[in-house]
Amino acid sequence: MKFPRASGLLLHPTSLPGPYGIGDLGREAFSFVDLLAGSGQRYWQMLPLGPTGYGDSPYQSFSVFAGNTLLISPDELIEDGLATAKDIALSMAFPTGRVDYGAAYEWKGALLQKAFAYFKESGTAELQKEFAEFIDKNGWWLNDYALFRSIKAFQNHRPWYEWPEPLKLREAGAIAEIRDQLADQFEFERFFQFIFFRHCRRLKRYANEKGVYLIGDLPIFVALDSADVWCNRELFKLNADGSPRVVAGVPPDYFSATGQLWGNPIYDWDRLREQGFGWWVARAEFAFRLADIVRIDHFRGFAASWEVPGGDETAENGVWVNVPGRELFETLHRHFGRLPFIAEDLGHITEDVEQLRDHFGFPGMKILQYGFGGDALNRDLPHNYVQNCVAYSGTHDNDTTVGWWRSLDKKDKNGPRAHCIRYLGTNGKDISWDLIRAVWASVADTAIVPVQDILCLDTRSRMNKPATQSGNWSWRLKDGELTNEIGERLRALTELYGRTMPKTVEE
């Protein structure tokens, strides 16, 4: 589909400021929408919102349908009558500028338990009715997920493929017995999915009323230790014991000399095709509930997947295996009509990937940081952009622009730093805004930059470093860091290059 000329910011909700140890979908999220609208921005791009496991990566979720209950707002719980100001006042002393996931889980978990008790004892009739309706509408995924998380807690958080055989294989008798045994935990898990989506719905409605659209993120693959795989083993290339025959990754690239070994199981696309891609139709429908536009992570995986033998320790020995992406997107088009997708077409991109993207008119991505150090034909330089693309200074996987700039060799007269100076006509003193200006001025219909770049933050504020296992996903804004002056500067640039959000939003 055709996107209007507009712009926006990339910020995951966990990175919002506030007193509760982790950003959430409450007061600060609404304030961020106000800043976007006030600075003329049309888009708020987020990372996946699913529940995270080991490493806290939003790209390794326990379910592609469930939400991350750490994003539930304590203030919104008060609004719902599920917490009191006294409950909230007893919050822990959290660090500023970083997420301490362990502390956040501990404090918010206790708060959610109290809120569940409030609901059972004195929840309003209206809330009870809405909860029942949520279960009725979402039971097809919700019950499996709630049981998965309940058993996982009961099994000391071991992955499902290490559970006792009857539970691992979902034997009917064992499943019925454990569900009865864990009935309270099961209901708790269902209830807080209801609350999560209730808070999401409020935020999305508020953003849309302000003329701001949410861009979600749909990872192509799912985590092995997830309700998705536990309940749908026939849809993945697994061994009889639940271990993966092959796993996902990418070959050696810009980020890693040995490739990236993600470890996600690979789909059995033949089985998915036999079922009319029903699982993917459900997944896409769900993604559109949370967002107006959806970025498809690792889009090239819909043309071919890099399949690595399950026991390998690096991604070097993988092979490309074809995927029926065109059939899938044709099926989605029949179900939904227009498909507001953004294709993350970075990395090893071949002609078949470009043909798949262009056949459906999906905008691809351009990363300005990648544009320097080569020649004038580099696809990431603004003079080579096409209108139907999304241009970024960098993404959550890149260093901040200031961090990137400081890492470049000053002495290399033909390197990226020297090239950038010549191309942008800059001395580098305001490098973040130099790149923002170039992206905003480009012909790209959509321009987006990480919030770290409008704040000119350095490497310490980087969100993720691919091919590393720790120290990621924890950056947060500090209270008051996003000022009106920054918003005004952004609006001035947005107006200058004709990206200002119109007063009436196009549907």
Side-chain angles (χ1 to χ4, degrees):
M1 61 173 288
K2 172 70 173 175
F3 290 83
R5 184 170 176 82
S7 56
L9 297 176
L10 169 60
L11 179 76
H12 196 46
T14 58
S15 296
L16 288 163
Y20 308 123
I22 187 170
D24 58 47
L25 302 174
R27 184 181 305 157
E28 295 291 346
F30 286 77
S31 294
F32 185 64
V33 169
D34 291 340
L35 181 138
L36 288 166
S39 61
Q41 307 310 303
R42 180 185 284 258
Y43 302 121
W44 178 359
Q45 181 172 334
M46 304 175 180
L47 307 183
L49 298 177
T52 58
Y54 175 76
D56 306 306
S57 170
Y59 293 91
Q60 294 287 346
S61 175
F62 290 133
S63 170
V64 297
F65 298 106
N68 187 348
T69 54
L70 279 179
L71 293 174
I72 289 174
S73 163
D75 295 319
E76 294 287 300
L77 288 177
I78 294 177
E79 182 75 18
D80 291 328
L82 298 173
T84 67
K86 183 178 179 181
D87 295 325
I88 306 303
L90 298 176
S91 62
M92 301 172 63
F94 294 106
T96 59
R98 310 293 294 179
V99 178
D100 181 337
Y101 280 95
Y105 273 111
E106 179 183 348
W107 181 77
K108 190 161 283 189
L111 178 66
L112 295 183
Q113 289 285 358
K114 285 184 180 180
F116 185 49
Y118 281 131
F119 173 74
K120 290 195 296 182
E121 293 169 6
S122 56
T124 65
E126 180 183 0
L127 203 60
Q128 297 277 359
K129 180 175 179 289
E130 290 182 19
F131 180 38
E133 290 172 348
F134 178 79
I135 291 174
D136 183 61
K137 184 176 181 180
N138 295 277
W140 56 273
W141 67 268
L142 179 64
N143 293 336
D144 284 333
Y145 172 74
L147 187 59
F148 171 83
R149 292 302 301 267
S150 299
I151 298 173
K152 192 171 184 63
F154 183 69
Q155 291 289 326
N156 296 315
H157 302 285
R158 290 188 296 165
W160 66 264
Y161 44 85
E162 294 180 5
W163 294 351
E165 198 82 358
L167 296 177
K168 179 171 73 172
L169 300 180
R170 293 176 54 84
E171 294 178 4
I175 292 298
E177 181 179 344
I178 198 72
R179 179 166 170 169
D180 287 342
Q181 183 181 350
L182 303 178
D184 287 344
Q185 182 69 22
F186 176 80
E187 197 68 359
F188 171 85
E189 298 288 353
R190 294 203 303 180
F191 180 68
F192 277 100
Q193 286 304 306
F194 162 63
I195 294 297
F196 170 84
F197 285 99
R198 181 180 173 85
H199 290 185
C200 278
R201 192 165 58 248
R202 285 177 180 168
L203 179 61
K204 185 175 184 296
R205 181 168 58 244
Y206 182 81
N208 291 168
E209 288 171 352
K210 290 280 188 175
V212 173
Y213 289 119
L214 304 185
I215 301 178
D217 198 314
L218 190 152
I220 179 175
F221 297 117
V222 303
L224 176 61
D225 186 23
S226 66
D228 310 299
V229 179
W230 180 56
C231 298
N232 302 282
R233 283 176 296 144
E234 74 281 1
L235 300 182
F236 300 88
K237 296 179 180 180
L238 304 179
N239 297 311
D241 64 355
S243 61
R245 299 201 308 269
V246 289
V247 296
V250 291
D253 62 6
Y254 172 87
F255 291 113
S256 174
T258 58
Q260 296 178 48
L261 186 65
W262 297 333
N264 306 78
I266 300 288
Y267 298 105
D268 185 332
W269 286 104
D270 290 337
R271 181 64 63 89
L272 284 163
R273 181 193 285 116
E274 290 171 5
Q275 297 182 2
F277 301 106
W279 186 85
W280 270 101
V281 171
R283 189 177 179 192
E285 188 277 330
F286 211 79
F288 292 139
R289 290 190 201 178
L290 297 178
D292 302 291
I293 299 165
V294 175
R295 170 189 178 270
I296 301 177
D297 188 55
H298 193 59
F299 180 78
R300 75 104 48 247
F302 288 102
S305 291
W306 185 252
E307 297 192 358
V308 182
D312 281 18
E313 295 183 358
T314 74
E316 295 170 280
N317 297 321
V319 294
W320 289 112
V321 177
N322 290 335
V323 169
R326 180 169 293 203
E327 292 178 55
L328 169 63
F329 289 116
E330 286 173 348
T331 300
L332 295 179
H333 180 70
R334 287 195 296 272
H335 277 82
F336 302 106
R338 69 188 189 101
L339 296 175
F341 287 140
I342 294 170
E344 186 272 284
D345 55 347
L346 308 176
H348 182 75
I349 299 304
T350 50
E351 185 177 351
D352 58 337
V353 181
E354 294 177 343
Q355 289 175 348
L356 179 64
R357 178 198 65 205
D358 294 343
H359 177 79
F360 292 97
F362 301 151
M365 293 173 55
K366 309 294 183 184
I367 310 299
L368 184 51
Q369 285 185 20
Y370 294 164
F372 303 110
D375 59 27
L377 299 179
N378 189 306
R379 69 188 291 275
D380 291 293
L381 289 173
H383 68 265
N384 292 322
Y385 292 175
V386 296
Q387 280 187 273
N388 190 33
C389 75
V390 185
Y392 297 81
S393 55
T395 73
H396 63 278
D397 281 333
N398 296 97
D399 202 344
T400 66
T401 291
V402 168
W404 163 80
W405 179 253
R406 291 177 179 173
S407 73
L408 300 178
D409 187 352
K410 296 180 180 179
K411 298 179 181 179
D412 186 351
K413 301 303 180 182
N414 296 309
R417 186 184 181 100
H419 186 192
C420 181
I421 289 172
R422 293 194 303 272
Y423 190 90
L424 298 182
T426 179
N427 59 14
K429 291 183 178 179
D430 199 11
I431 192 64
S432 272
W433 283 89
D434 291 334
L435 263 67
I436 294 169
R437 178 181 290 272
V439 169
W440 255 235
S442 76
V443 72
D445 286 332
T446 308
I448 293 175
V449 297
V451 164
Q452 292 97 316
D453 281 358
I454 67 170
L455 294 173
C456 304
L457 299 177
D458 62 21
T459 298
R460 291 171 294 180
S461 298
R462 182 172 184 163
M463 192 64 171
N464 179 49
K465 187 175 183 179
T468 61
Q469 300 298 316
S470 61
N472 298 313
W473 317 112
S474 62
W475 172 76
R476 288 185 77 195
L477 285 162
K478 297 175 182 176
D479 290 336
E481 203 165 11
L482 276 176
T483 63
N484 290 333
E485 289 74 18
I486 291 173
E488 290 168 2
R489 183 178 186 184
L490 185 61
R491 184 175 186 90
L493 202 65
T494 304
E495 290 177 342
L496 181 63
Y497 293 113
R499 295 187 181 275
T500 308
M501 181 183 68
K503 293 180 180 179
T504 58
V505 180
E506 299 173 5
E507 295 297 336

